[in-house]
Amino acid sequence: MTHIVTEHPYFGIFVLFVLTFVAFSATLNLQRFISRKLARLDTEKLKMSIYECGPEVTKQPNTISVQFYLIALLFILFDVEIIFMFPWAVDFKALGWFGLVEMILFILLLAIGFLYAWKKGALEWHSIK
Amino acid sequence: MDALVIGTIIKVVLVLLVVSALAGFGTYIERKVLAFMQRRLGPAHVGPFGLLQIAADGIKLFTKEDIIPQNANKFIFSLAPVITAATAFIALSAVPLFPTFIIPESLPLIGGAIVPSVIADVNIGILFVLGMMAAGLYGPLLAGMAQANKWGILGSARTAIQFLSYEVVTGLSVLAPIMLVGSLSLIDFNNAQIGGVGSWIIWQQPIAFVLFLIAGFAETNRTPFDLLEHEAEIISGYVTEYSGLRWGMFFIGEYSNMFTISILAAVIFCGGYGDIGFIPGWLALLLKVVFFFFLMLWVRASWPHIRPDQLMWLCWKVLMPLAVINIVITGIVVMI
Protein backbone atom coordinates (compact mmCIF):
# COMPACT_ATOMS: atom_id res chain seq x y z
CA MET A 1 0.00 0.00 0.00
CA THR A 2 2.93 2.31 0.54
CA HIS A 3 5.29 3.92 -1.91
CA ILE A 4 8.44 1.99 -2.60
CA VAL A 5 11.14 4.61 -2.98
CA THR A 6 13.69 3.78 -5.63
CA GLU A 7 16.57 5.66 -7.11
CA HIS A 8 15.11 5.60 -10.61
CA PRO A 9 11.29 5.57 -10.53
CA TYR A 10 11.06 5.87 -14.32
CA PHE A 11 13.07 2.69 -14.95
CA GLY A 12 9.94 0.56 -15.37
CA ILE A 13 8.52 2.97 -17.93
CA PHE A 14 11.79 2.85 -19.87
CA VAL A 15 11.77 -0.96 -19.90
CA LEU A 16 8.14 -1.04 -21.02
CA PHE A 17 8.83 1.60 -23.69
CA VAL A 18 11.73 -0.34 -25.22
CA LEU A 19 10.07 -3.72 -24.89
CA THR A 20 6.71 -2.72 -26.42
CA PHE A 21 8.30 -1.09 -29.44
CA VAL A 22 10.71 -3.99 -30.00
CA ALA A 23 8.11 -6.72 -29.41
CA PHE A 24 5.38 -5.18 -31.56
CA SER A 25 7.75 -4.33 -34.40
CA ALA A 26 9.18 -7.86 -34.30
CA THR A 27 5.68 -9.37 -34.32
CA LEU A 28 4.68 -7.26 -37.30
CA ASN A 29 7.84 -8.19 -39.21
CA LEU A 30 7.27 -11.88 -38.45
CA GLN A 31 3.67 -11.57 -39.63
CA ARG A 32 4.80 -9.82 -42.82
CA PHE A 33 7.35 -12.58 -43.48
CA ILE A 34 4.86 -15.43 -42.88
CA SER A 35 1.97 -13.89 -44.77
CA ARG A 36 4.13 -13.03 -47.78
CA LYS A 37 5.40 -16.63 -47.88
CA LEU A 38 1.79 -17.85 -48.06
CA ALA A 39 0.39 -15.20 -50.39
CA ARG A 40 0.28 -14.97 -54.16
CA LEU A 41 2.77 -12.17 -54.67
CA ASP A 42 1.35 -10.48 -57.74
CA THR A 43 1.57 -6.73 -57.82
CA GLU A 44 -1.63 -6.28 -59.74
CA LYS A 45 -2.55 -2.67 -60.29
CA LEU A 46 -5.96 -2.76 -58.61
CA LYS A 47 -4.68 -4.74 -55.64
CA MET A 48 -1.98 -2.24 -54.78
CA SER A 49 -4.15 0.81 -55.43
CA ILE A 50 -5.81 2.63 -52.58
CA TYR A 51 -9.51 2.21 -51.86
CA GLU A 52 -11.90 4.27 -54.05
CA CYS A 53 -9.11 6.18 -55.75
CA GLY A 54 -10.75 6.12 -59.17
CA PRO A 55 -9.72 4.26 -62.34
CA GLU A 56 -6.29 5.92 -62.34
CA VAL A 57 -4.40 5.79 -59.07
CA THR A 58 -4.12 9.39 -57.99
CA LYS A 59 -2.53 10.80 -54.90
CA GLN A 60 -5.41 12.35 -53.05
CA PRO A 61 -4.77 15.72 -51.43
CA ASN A 62 -4.55 15.90 -47.66
CA THR A 63 -7.10 18.68 -47.29
CA ILE A 64 -9.66 18.83 -44.50
CA SER A 65 -12.27 21.32 -43.35
CA VAL A 66 -11.05 24.42 -41.51
CA GLN A 67 -13.36 23.52 -38.63
CA PHE A 68 -10.93 20.83 -37.48
CA TYR A 69 -8.14 23.43 -37.16
CA LEU A 70 -10.37 25.76 -35.12
CA ILE A 71 -11.16 23.00 -32.64
CA ALA A 72 -7.45 22.17 -32.41
CA LEU A 73 -6.68 25.84 -31.64
CA LEU A 74 -9.31 25.84 -28.89
CA PHE A 75 -7.75 22.68 -27.51
CA ILE A 76 -4.36 24.38 -27.16
CA LEU A 77 -6.01 27.19 -25.18
CA PHE A 78 -7.67 24.82 -22.75
CA ASP A 79 -4.90 22.28 -22.47
CA VAL A 80 -2.48 24.98 -21.35
CA GLU A 81 -5.10 25.96 -18.79
CA ILE A 82 -5.27 22.38 -17.49
CA ILE A 83 -1.50 22.05 -17.31
CA PHE A 84 -1.49 25.27 -15.26
CA MET A 85 -4.24 23.94 -12.99
CA PHE A 86 -2.64 20.57 -12.17
CA PRO A 87 0.11 21.96 -9.85
CA TRP A 88 -2.46 24.29 -8.29
CA ALA A 89 -4.81 21.38 -7.55
CA VAL A 90 -2.02 19.33 -5.92
CA ASP A 91 -1.10 22.22 -3.57
CA PHE A 92 -4.69 23.43 -3.29
CA LYS A 93 -5.00 23.08 0.50
CA ALA A 94 -1.61 24.73 1.14
CA LEU A 95 -2.39 27.74 -1.07
CA GLY A 96 -5.72 28.36 0.66
CA TRP A 97 -8.12 31.19 -0.19
CA PHE A 98 -5.45 33.18 -2.02
CA GLY A 99 -4.86 30.38 -4.51
CA LEU A 100 -8.59 29.77 -4.97
CA VAL A 101 -9.39 33.43 -5.72
CA GLU A 102 -6.45 33.66 -8.13
CA MET A 103 -7.63 30.53 -9.93
CA ILE A 104 -11.23 31.80 -10.13
CA LEU A 105 -9.95 35.05 -11.66
CA PHE A 106 -7.90 33.02 -14.17
CA ILE A 107 -10.93 30.90 -15.06
CA LEU A 108 -13.04 34.08 -15.51
CA LEU A 109 -10.46 35.53 -17.92
CA LEU A 110 -10.44 32.28 -19.82
CA ALA A 111 -14.25 32.14 -19.83
CA ILE A 112 -14.36 35.53 -21.58
CA GLY A 113 -12.17 34.16 -24.36
CA PHE A 114 -14.25 31.02 -24.52
CA LEU A 115 -17.50 33.01 -24.79
CA TYR A 116 -15.94 35.09 -27.58
CA ALA A 117 -15.07 31.91 -29.50
CA TRP A 118 -18.58 30.57 -28.85
CA LYS A 119 -20.26 33.79 -30.11
CA LYS A 120 -17.98 33.87 -33.16
CA GLY A 121 -19.25 30.41 -34.06
CA ALA A 122 -16.00 28.49 -33.61
CA LEU A 123 -17.95 25.67 -31.96
CA GLU A 124 -20.68 25.49 -34.63
CA TRP A 125 -20.25 22.88 -37.32
CA HIS A 126 -20.70 23.95 -40.92
CA SER A 127 -24.33 24.16 -41.98
CA ILE A 128 -25.11 21.80 -44.83
CA LYS A 129 -28.12 23.85 -45.98
CA MET B 1 21.75 -6.31 -11.65
CA ASP B 2 19.86 -6.03 -8.41
CA ALA B 3 16.52 -7.57 -7.55
CA LEU B 4 14.54 -4.48 -8.55
CA VAL B 5 15.80 -4.52 -12.14
CA ILE B 6 15.06 -8.21 -12.64
CA GLY B 7 11.71 -7.90 -10.89
CA THR B 8 10.72 -4.96 -13.08
CA ILE B 9 11.63 -6.78 -16.26
CA ILE B 10 9.70 -9.90 -15.21
CA LYS B 11 6.69 -7.77 -14.32
CA VAL B 12 6.82 -5.86 -17.62
CA VAL B 13 6.90 -9.09 -19.63
CA LEU B 14 4.01 -10.51 -17.60
CA VAL B 15 1.91 -7.36 -18.04
CA LEU B 16 2.65 -7.32 -21.77
CA LEU B 17 1.58 -10.94 -22.21
CA VAL B 18 -1.45 -10.80 -19.90
CA VAL B 19 -2.87 -7.56 -21.30
CA SER B 20 -2.33 -8.69 -24.90
CA ALA B 21 -4.24 -11.89 -24.08
CA LEU B 22 -6.91 -9.85 -22.28
CA ALA B 23 -7.31 -7.63 -25.34
CA GLY B 24 -7.99 -10.73 -27.42
CA PHE B 25 -10.32 -12.08 -24.76
CA GLY B 26 -12.04 -8.67 -24.68
CA THR B 27 -13.12 -9.04 -28.32
CA TYR B 28 -14.62 -12.45 -27.49
CA ILE B 29 -16.45 -11.07 -24.42
CA GLU B 30 -17.71 -8.13 -26.46
CA ARG B 31 -19.15 -10.35 -29.18
CA LYS B 32 -20.67 -12.75 -26.66
CA VAL B 33 -22.26 -10.03 -24.48
CA LEU B 34 -23.63 -8.14 -27.49
CA ALA B 35 -25.01 -11.39 -28.88
CA PHE B 36 -26.82 -12.30 -25.65
CA MET B 37 -28.23 -8.77 -25.40
CA GLN B 38 -29.62 -9.12 -28.94
CA ARG B 39 -30.90 -12.69 -28.30
CA ARG B 40 -28.29 -14.33 -30.52
CA LEU B 41 -25.68 -16.95 -29.65
CA GLY B 42 -22.53 -15.18 -30.77
CA PRO B 43 -19.37 -17.21 -31.47
CA ALA B 44 -20.36 -20.78 -30.58
CA HIS B 45 -18.72 -23.25 -32.98
CA VAL B 46 -14.95 -22.98 -32.50
CA GLY B 47 -14.07 -24.80 -29.29
CA PRO B 48 -16.16 -24.89 -26.09
CA PHE B 49 -18.56 -21.90 -26.03
CA GLY B 50 -16.66 -20.50 -29.00
CA LEU B 51 -13.66 -19.74 -26.80
CA LEU B 52 -11.13 -20.77 -29.45
CA GLN B 53 -12.57 -18.06 -31.71
CA ILE B 54 -9.78 -15.83 -30.35
CA ALA B 55 -7.14 -18.25 -31.62
CA ALA B 56 -8.92 -18.57 -34.95
CA ASP B 57 -9.02 -14.79 -35.33
CA GLY B 58 -5.35 -14.59 -34.40
CA ILE B 59 -4.37 -17.16 -37.03
CA LYS B 60 -6.46 -15.34 -39.62
CA LEU B 61 -4.83 -11.99 -38.83
CA PHE B 62 -1.37 -13.55 -38.81
CA THR B 63 -1.66 -15.22 -42.20
CA LYS B 64 -3.42 -12.45 -44.10
CA GLU B 65 -1.22 -10.77 -46.66
CA ASP B 66 0.22 -7.51 -45.45
CA ILE B 67 -0.44 -4.99 -48.24
CA ILE B 68 1.14 -1.57 -48.21
CA PRO B 69 -0.74 0.42 -50.85
CA GLN B 70 0.79 2.41 -53.64
CA ASN B 71 1.45 6.09 -52.85
CA ALA B 72 1.50 5.43 -49.10
CA ASN B 73 4.44 6.62 -47.04
CA LYS B 74 5.79 3.16 -46.23
CA PHE B 75 7.78 3.97 -43.07
CA ILE B 76 5.04 5.98 -41.34
CA PHE B 77 2.38 3.56 -42.57
CA SER B 78 4.11 0.67 -40.78
CA LEU B 79 5.08 2.72 -37.71
CA ALA B 80 1.58 3.99 -36.88
CA PRO B 81 0.06 0.70 -35.54
CA VAL B 82 3.12 0.15 -33.35
CA ILE B 83 2.70 3.63 -31.83
CA THR B 84 -0.96 2.96 -31.02
CA ALA B 85 -0.31 -0.38 -29.34
CA ALA B 86 2.88 0.73 -27.56
CA THR B 87 1.44 3.93 -26.02
CA ALA B 88 -1.61 2.00 -24.81
CA PHE B 89 0.70 -0.39 -22.94
CA ILE B 90 3.09 2.29 -21.65
CA ALA B 91 0.09 4.10 -20.10
CA LEU B 92 -0.45 0.97 -17.97
CA SER B 93 2.98 1.29 -16.35
CA ALA B 94 1.87 3.92 -13.80
CA VAL B 95 -1.48 2.26 -13.01
CA PRO B 96 -1.72 0.05 -9.90
CA LEU B 97 -2.81 -3.41 -11.02
CA PHE B 98 -2.94 -5.33 -7.71
CA PRO B 99 -2.17 -4.70 -4.03
CA THR B 100 1.47 -4.79 -2.98
CA PHE B 101 2.26 -8.29 -1.75
CA ILE B 102 5.18 -10.32 -0.43
CA ILE B 103 6.17 -13.59 -2.08
CA PRO B 104 6.06 -16.38 0.58
CA GLU B 105 9.42 -17.30 2.14
CA SER B 106 8.98 -20.96 1.24
CA LEU B 107 9.60 -20.35 -2.47
CA PRO B 108 13.23 -20.75 -3.58
CA LEU B 109 15.24 -17.81 -4.99
CA ILE B 110 12.47 -15.18 -4.97
CA GLY B 111 11.01 -15.92 -1.51
CA GLY B 112 10.49 -12.85 0.68
CA ALA B 113 10.65 -10.36 -2.18
CA ILE B 114 8.20 -7.45 -2.08
CA VAL B 115 6.19 -6.98 -5.29
CA PRO B 116 5.10 -3.33 -5.73
CA SER B 117 1.65 -2.75 -7.15
CA VAL B 118 2.81 -0.61 -10.08
CA ILE B 119 5.55 -1.11 -12.65
CA ALA B 120 6.91 2.42 -12.17
CA ASP B 121 5.94 4.24 -8.97
CA VAL B 122 6.14 7.78 -10.37
CA ASN B 123 4.77 10.71 -8.37
CA ILE B 124 2.87 12.16 -11.36
CA GLY B 125 0.84 8.99 -12.04
CA ILE B 126 -2.41 10.47 -13.39
CA LEU B 127 -0.65 13.09 -15.51
CA PHE B 128 1.58 10.39 -16.99
CA VAL B 129 -1.30 8.05 -17.83
CA LEU B 130 -3.42 10.79 -19.41
CA GLY B 131 -0.40 12.13 -21.30
CA MET B 132 0.50 8.72 -22.65
CA MET B 133 -3.08 8.06 -23.75
CA ALA B 134 -3.04 11.46 -25.48
CA ALA B 135 0.24 10.53 -27.20
CA GLY B 136 -1.62 7.50 -28.55
CA LEU B 137 -3.36 9.97 -30.86
CA TYR B 138 -0.23 9.94 -33.05
CA GLY B 139 -1.07 6.38 -34.16
CA PRO B 140 -4.42 7.14 -35.85
CA LEU B 141 -3.22 10.58 -36.99
CA LEU B 142 -0.10 9.27 -38.77
CA ALA B 143 -2.02 6.25 -40.09
CA GLY B 144 -4.58 8.48 -41.75
CA MET B 145 -2.04 10.93 -43.13
CA ALA B 146 0.35 8.26 -44.46
CA GLN B 147 -2.09 6.27 -46.58
CA ALA B 148 -2.99 9.15 -48.97
CA ASN B 149 -6.65 8.15 -48.96
CA LYS B 150 -9.55 10.54 -48.48
CA TRP B 151 -11.33 8.24 -46.01
CA GLY B 152 -8.15 7.89 -44.02
CA ILE B 153 -7.55 11.62 -43.78
CA LEU B 154 -11.17 12.26 -42.77
CA GLY B 155 -10.99 9.51 -40.17
CA SER B 156 -7.76 10.81 -38.69
CA ALA B 157 -9.09 14.39 -38.59
CA ARG B 158 -12.15 13.15 -36.71
CA THR B 159 -9.95 11.14 -34.36
CA ALA B 160 -7.81 14.20 -33.68
CA ILE B 161 -10.66 16.53 -32.70
CA GLN B 162 -12.48 13.81 -30.73
CA PHE B 163 -9.40 12.83 -28.70
CA LEU B 164 -8.23 16.43 -28.19
CA SER B 165 -11.66 17.74 -27.14
CA TYR B 166 -12.31 14.95 -24.69
CA GLU B 167 -8.75 15.18 -23.37
CA VAL B 168 -9.82 18.59 -21.97
CA VAL B 169 -12.84 17.03 -20.25
CA THR B 170 -10.78 14.14 -18.80
CA GLY B 171 -8.17 16.55 -17.43
CA LEU B 172 -10.75 18.88 -15.90
CA SER B 173 -12.80 16.04 -14.39
CA VAL B 174 -9.83 14.48 -12.54
CA LEU B 175 -8.79 17.91 -11.18
CA ALA B 176 -11.54 17.95 -8.54
CA PRO B 177 -10.49 14.55 -7.01
CA ILE B 178 -6.85 15.72 -7.12
CA MET B 179 -7.84 18.80 -5.08
CA LEU B 180 -9.40 16.51 -2.46
CA VAL B 181 -6.49 14.07 -2.29
CA GLY B 182 -3.63 16.51 -2.86
CA SER B 183 -1.49 14.14 -4.89
CA LEU B 184 -1.12 12.95 -8.47
CA SER B 185 0.04 9.45 -7.55
CA LEU B 186 -2.59 6.76 -8.05
CA ILE B 187 -1.31 4.92 -4.96
CA ASP B 188 -2.13 7.98 -2.84
CA PHE B 189 -5.61 7.97 -4.38
CA ASN B 190 -6.01 4.36 -3.29
CA ASN B 191 -4.72 5.13 0.21
CA ALA B 192 -7.14 8.07 0.57
CA GLN B 193 -10.10 5.71 0.05
CA ILE B 194 -8.90 2.90 2.30
CA GLY B 195 -11.79 3.29 4.75
CA GLY B 196 -14.33 1.15 2.90
CA VAL B 197 -17.21 1.95 0.56
CA GLY B 198 -18.21 5.12 2.45
CA SER B 199 -14.87 6.82 1.79
CA TRP B 200 -14.95 6.40 -2.00
CA ILE B 201 -14.44 9.65 -3.87
CA ILE B 202 -17.44 8.89 -6.10
CA TRP B 203 -19.79 9.98 -3.24
CA GLN B 204 -18.03 13.36 -2.95
CA GLN B 205 -17.54 13.88 -6.69
CA PRO B 206 -20.46 12.29 -8.58
CA ILE B 207 -20.37 14.90 -11.37
CA ALA B 208 -16.63 14.42 -11.92
CA PHE B 209 -17.18 10.64 -12.07
CA VAL B 210 -19.88 10.90 -14.75
CA LEU B 211 -17.77 13.37 -16.75
CA PHE B 212 -14.72 11.09 -16.51
CA LEU B 213 -16.74 8.09 -17.66
CA ILE B 214 -18.23 9.96 -20.65
CA ALA B 215 -14.81 11.30 -21.65
CA GLY B 216 -13.33 7.84 -21.19
CA PHE B 217 -15.92 6.39 -23.58
CA ALA B 218 -15.01 9.05 -26.13
CA GLU B 219 -11.26 8.54 -25.74
CA THR B 220 -11.51 4.79 -26.23
CA ASN B 221 -13.82 5.24 -29.22
CA ARG B 222 -16.79 3.39 -27.70
CA THR B 223 -20.46 3.77 -28.63
CA PRO B 224 -22.12 6.39 -28.48
CA PHE B 225 -18.92 8.11 -29.67
CA ASP B 226 -17.65 5.54 -32.21
CA LEU B 227 -17.45 7.98 -35.09
CA LEU B 228 -13.96 6.97 -36.20
CA GLU B 229 -14.94 3.77 -37.99
CA HIS B 230 -18.37 4.64 -39.28
CA GLU B 231 -18.98 2.52 -42.38
CA ALA B 232 -21.79 4.63 -43.80
CA GLU B 233 -19.79 7.86 -43.74
CA ILE B 234 -16.06 7.24 -43.79
CA ILE B 235 -15.73 3.47 -44.55
CA SER B 236 -13.22 2.42 -41.89
CA GLY B 237 -11.73 5.78 -41.06
CA TYR B 238 -7.99 5.65 -40.44
CA VAL B 239 -7.76 1.83 -40.81
CA THR B 240 -9.22 1.76 -44.35
CA GLU B 241 -5.98 0.64 -46.01
CA TYR B 242 -4.70 -1.64 -43.25
CA SER B 243 -4.83 -5.42 -43.41
CA GLY B 244 -3.61 -8.32 -41.34
CA LEU B 245 -1.92 -7.83 -38.01
CA ARG B 246 -1.27 -4.13 -38.59
CA TRP B 247 -5.04 -3.68 -38.46
CA GLY B 248 -5.12 -5.93 -35.39
CA MET B 249 -2.56 -3.73 -33.62
CA PHE B 250 -5.04 -0.85 -33.61
CA PHE B 251 -7.55 -3.13 -31.94
CA ILE B 252 -5.09 -4.35 -29.32
CA GLY B 253 -4.35 -0.71 -28.53
CA GLU B 254 -8.03 0.17 -28.32
CA TYR B 255 -8.89 -2.71 -26.01
CA SER B 256 -5.97 -2.13 -23.69
CA ASN B 257 -7.04 1.54 -23.54
CA MET B 258 -10.47 0.29 -22.48
CA PHE B 259 -8.81 -1.64 -19.64
CA THR B 260 -6.75 1.41 -18.65
CA ILE B 261 -9.84 3.62 -18.46
CA SER B 262 -11.68 0.94 -16.45
CA ILE B 263 -8.80 0.64 -13.96
CA LEU B 264 -8.46 4.44 -13.73
CA ALA B 265 -12.19 4.85 -13.00
CA ALA B 266 -11.94 2.12 -10.36
CA VAL B 267 -8.79 3.55 -8.70
CA ILE B 268 -9.61 7.27 -8.81
CA PHE B 269 -13.31 7.13 -7.93
CA CYS B 270 -14.23 3.69 -6.59
CA GLY B 271 -11.72 2.79 -3.92
CA GLY B 272 -9.03 1.07 -6.00
CA TYR B 273 -7.73 -2.14 -4.44
CA GLY B 274 -8.94 -1.51 -0.92
CA ASP B 275 -10.72 -4.45 0.72
CA ILE B 276 -14.54 -4.37 0.75
CA GLY B 277 -15.70 -6.34 3.79
CA PHE B 278 -14.69 -9.96 3.18
CA ILE B 279 -13.68 -9.42 -0.48
CA PRO B 280 -9.86 -9.16 -0.74
CA GLY B 281 -8.38 -6.14 -2.52
CA TRP B 282 -7.21 -7.78 -5.75
CA LEU B 283 -10.61 -9.40 -6.31
CA ALA B 284 -12.40 -6.11 -5.54
CA LEU B 285 -10.30 -4.28 -8.17
CA LEU B 286 -10.89 -7.07 -10.67
CA LEU B 287 -14.66 -6.98 -10.09
CA LYS B 288 -14.75 -3.19 -10.53
CA VAL B 289 -12.72 -3.36 -13.75
CA VAL B 290 -14.96 -6.12 -15.11
CA PHE B 291 -18.01 -4.03 -14.20
CA PHE B 292 -16.72 -0.95 -16.06
CA PHE B 293 -15.75 -3.09 -19.04
CA PHE B 294 -19.23 -4.61 -19.06
CA LEU B 295 -20.72 -1.11 -18.81
CA MET B 296 -18.98 -0.16 -22.07
CA LEU B 297 -20.51 -3.18 -23.82
CA TRP B 298 -23.91 -2.55 -22.23
CA VAL B 299 -23.91 1.04 -23.51
CA ARG B 300 -22.91 -0.22 -26.96
CA ALA B 301 -25.89 -2.56 -27.03
CA SER B 302 -28.30 0.14 -25.80
CA TRP B 303 -27.44 3.40 -27.56
CA PRO B 304 -27.16 4.55 -31.16
CA HIS B 305 -24.15 6.71 -31.85
CA ILE B 306 -24.29 10.47 -32.27
CA ARG B 307 -23.29 12.86 -35.05
CA PRO B 308 -19.87 14.58 -35.08
CA ASP B 309 -21.40 18.04 -34.55
CA GLN B 310 -23.37 16.68 -31.58
CA LEU B 311 -20.11 15.24 -30.25
CA MET B 312 -18.44 18.65 -30.34
CA TRP B 313 -21.56 20.33 -28.95
CA LEU B 314 -21.65 17.89 -26.03
CA CYS B 315 -17.96 18.32 -25.26
CA TRP B 316 -17.48 22.09 -25.53
CA LYS B 317 -20.89 23.47 -24.57
CA VAL B 318 -22.03 20.99 -21.91
CA LEU B 319 -19.27 18.88 -20.38
CA MET B 320 -16.46 21.45 -20.34
CA PRO B 321 -18.38 24.29 -18.56
CA LEU B 322 -19.84 21.69 -16.19
CA ALA B 323 -16.35 20.44 -15.29
CA VAL B 324 -15.06 23.99 -14.65
CA ILE B 325 -18.07 24.83 -12.46
CA ASN B 326 -17.52 21.55 -10.58
CA ILE B 327 -13.91 22.56 -9.83
CA VAL B 328 -14.91 26.02 -8.57
CA ILE B 329 -17.70 24.63 -6.35
CA THR B 330 -15.37 21.91 -5.00
CA GLY B 331 -12.77 24.56 -4.17
CA ILE B 332 -15.25 26.78 -2.31
CA VAL B 333 -16.83 23.86 -0.41
CA VAL B 334 -13.45 22.45 0.66
CA MET B 335 -12.26 25.90 1.81
CA ILE B 336 -15.40 26.49 3.87
Side-chain angles (χ1 to χ4, degrees):
Chain A
M1 295 288 169
T2 50
H3 290 282
I4 288 162
V5 182
T6 53
E7 202 179 341
H8 304 290
Y10 288 86
F11 176 71
I13 292 170
F14 172 74
V15 172
L16 198 57
F17 184 84
V18 172
L19 210 71
T20 44
F21 269 92
V22 169
F24 287 135
S25 304
T27 317
L28 283 180
N29 282 331
L30 182 69
Q31 188 259 340
R32 188 170 171 78
F33 177 75
I34 291 176
S35 66
R36 285 176 78 87
K37 280 276 178 232
L38 295 172
R40 265 174 62 229
L41 279 180
D42 51 353
T43 48
E44 187 198 349
K45 202 176 167 190
L46 277 177
K47 178 180 155 190
M48 303 307 287
S49 66
I50 54 178
Y51 180 67
E52 284 203 352
C53 60
E56 293 268 312
V57 181
T58 52
K59 190 151 188 162
Q60 290 164 353
N62 284 352
T63 50
I64 50 173
S65 163
V66 70
Q67 199 65 35
F68 292 110
Y69 295 100
L70 282 177
I71 299 275
L73 274 176
L74 273 179
F75 162 75
I76 293 174
L77 184 75
F78 280 92
D79 211 42
V80 171
E81 177 207 357
I82 292 168
I83 293 300
F84 180 57
M85 283 170 91
F86 262 104
W88 166 77
V90 173
D91 276 342
F92 168 69
K93 281 169 184 160
L95 289 170
W97 276 108
F98 172 74
L100 184 64
V101 170
E102 290 276 295
M103 188 46 73
I104 289 174
L105 283 177
F106 175 70
I107 289 174
L108 278 178
L109 282 178
L110 207 79
I112 294 168
F114 179 66
L115 284 176
Y116 175 74
W118 189 332
K119 284 290 163 211
K120 276 285 183 185
L123 302 174
E124 307 294 329
W125 213 252
H126 280 302
S127 171
I128 50 169
K129 276 174 229 160
Chain B
M1 295 275 270
D2 58 337
L4 184 82
V5 176
I6 299 168
T8 306
I9 292 172
I10 291 173
K11 214 155 59 170
V12 162
V13 172
L14 275 181
V15 164
L16 211 59
L17 291 177
V18 168
V19 177
S20 299
L22 273 180
F25 194 62
T27 60
Y28 168 78
I29 293 288
E30 171 156 21
R31 290 166 72 175
K32 208 68 178 171
V33 168
L34 280 181
F36 281 137
M37 283 184 177
Q38 295 161 352
R39 308 193 72 181
R40 295 184 283 118
L41 274 180
H45 293 293
V46 193
F49 307 107
L51 263 170
L52 290 178
Q53 188 71 43
I54 312 163
D57 285 344
I59 292 169
K60 188 198 81 174
L61 284 179
F62 224 82
T63 49
K64 265 200 164 187
E65 191 188 350
D66 177 35
I67 301 172
I68 296 179
Q70 223 176 332
N71 286 344
N73 185 330
K74 291 193 171 51
F75 175 68
I76 297 181
F77 187 84
S78 31
L79 183 69
V82 181
I83 293 179
T84 308
T87 48
F89 278 87
I90 297 167
L92 271 173
S93 61
V95 177
L97 303 168
F98 44 77
T100 306
F101 67 92
I102 298 170
I103 297 175
E105 292 281 356
S106 53
L107 282 173
L109 284 173
I110 51 168
I114 301 169
V115 183
S117 53
V118 289
I119 293 173
D121 188 0
V122 293
N123 52 5
I124 53 158
I126 293 181
L127 204 58
F128 178 80
V129 176
L130 294 183
M132 221 55 225
M133 288 182 74
L137 167 65
Y138 280 108
L141 196 63
L142 294 179
M145 309 271 280
Q147 57 190 252
N149 181 334
K150 56 181 178 283
W151 310 114
I153 192 76
L154 277 174
S156 66
R158 276 192 185 189
T159 318
I161 55 163
Q162 178 171 331
F163 277 29
L164 294 182
S165 304
Y166 280 86
E167 193 63 32
V168 173
V169 178
T170 323
L172 285 173
S173 66
V174 296
L175 268 171
I178 290 169
M179 283 156 67
L180 295 178
V181 175
S183 171
L184 284 170
S185 169
L186 285 163
I187 294 179
D188 288 339
F189 266 89
N190 179 66
N191 293 344
Q193 308 172 64
I194 209 81
V197 179
S199 65
W200 289 3
I201 291 179
I202 181 173
W203 310 126
Q204 299 174 44
Q205 292 288 343
I207 298 172
F209 174 69
V210 172
L211 290 176
F212 181 82
L213 215 56
I214 293 174
F217 274 50
E219 281 200 43
T220 50
N221 184 23
R222 303 306 302 168
T223 321
F225 309 110
D226 59 338
L227 302 166
L228 314 183
E229 286 153 37
H230 187 203
E231 284 88 356
E233 288 171 9
I234 51 169
I235 316 298
S236 262
Y238 58 88
V239 288
T240 303
E241 294 296 343
Y242 280 90
S243 62
L245 202 62
R246 287 192 205 283
W247 178 83
M249 281 288 164
F250 284 111
F251 268 71
I252 292 175
E254 190 177 306
Y255 276 85
S256 70
N257 267 338
M258 280 166 74
F259 281 111
T260 313
I261 285 286
S262 303
I263 299 173
L264 273 185
V267 172
I268 297 177
F269 293 99
C270 296
Y273 47 82
D275 300 348
I276 314 174
F278 60 92
I279 304 175
W282 60 272
L283 188 62
L285 182 63
L286 196 66
L287 287 176
K288 286 169 204 163
V289 171
V290 167
F291 171 75
F292 284 121
F293 195 82
F294 177 73
L295 192 69
M296 290 177 173
L297 310 183
W298 193 1
V299 168
R300 178 170 175 185
S302 315
W303 258 295
H305 67 73
I306 60 178
R307 292 200 312 262
D309 63 326
Q310 289 170 330
L311 183 85
M312 288 300 114
W313 168 82
L314 182 69
C315 173
W316 290 102
K317 297 188 182 174
V318 180
L319 301 182
M320 218 273 298
L322 208 60
V324 173
I325 291 169
N326 185 37
I327 289 171
V328 173
I329 291 176
T330 307
I332 293 172
V333 169
V334 170
M335 273 297 140
I336 291 170

